[in-house]
Amino acid sequence: MAEGKRDHAKPLHLVSDCAGFCTLSASMIAKKSPYMIFSCHACAEACKATAAVVEKFDSEEMRMAAEKLRACEKSCIAMVEAMKAGHSADQSK
């Protein structure tokens, strides 16, 4: 049983680190920072990488975590695309 918990240590640390990217992105979006495109891109990459590690585990909790990480990745990618489109529209004026 202790071995199983040890196996989860690295993924849980990665999830915690990934949450830091999510928090940063939420803060940048709330402030309408011109740098939010960078934080959202980094958040998407962190979620993608973390999901790849987490989804290797065969447990309901890890499957749910991977699902949420993939959803966050998609959301951040959509934000980046929207920001790029908005930036292109601003430049054409």
Side-chain angles (χ1 to χ4, degrees):
M1 187 170 237
E3 286 300 313
K5 291 180 181 182
R6 189 173 307 150
D7 289 347
H8 286 82
K10 179 182 178 186
L12 292 175
H13 286 212
L14 294 176
V15 167
S16 176
D17 290 346
C18 189
F21 280 99
C22 295
T23 300
L24 172 63
S25 292
S27 174
M28 294 298 220
I29 291 166
K31 296 188 299 185
K32 297 182 179 166
S33 170
Y35 293 143
M36 67 184 171
I37 192 168
F38 302 119
S39 64
C40 286
H41 180 74
C43 184
E45 291 297 314
C47 288
K48 180 180 179 179
T50 305
V53 172
V54 169
E55 65 194 5
K56 292 178 183 175
F57 289 84
D58 187 26
S59 73
E60 184 62 26
E61 293 81 11
M62 292 300 216
R63 278 191 291 278
M64 287 180 3
E67 184 179 303
K68 298 297 182 187
L69 287 159
R70 294 289 183 195
C72 185
E73 173 192 1
K74 288 178 185 174
S75 177
C76 285
I77 289 169
M79 286 293 293
V80 168
E81 293 304 318
M83 287 181 265
K84 285 180 182 176
H87 185 66
S88 296
D90 290 343
Q91 289 182 350
S92 64
K93 292 179 183 179

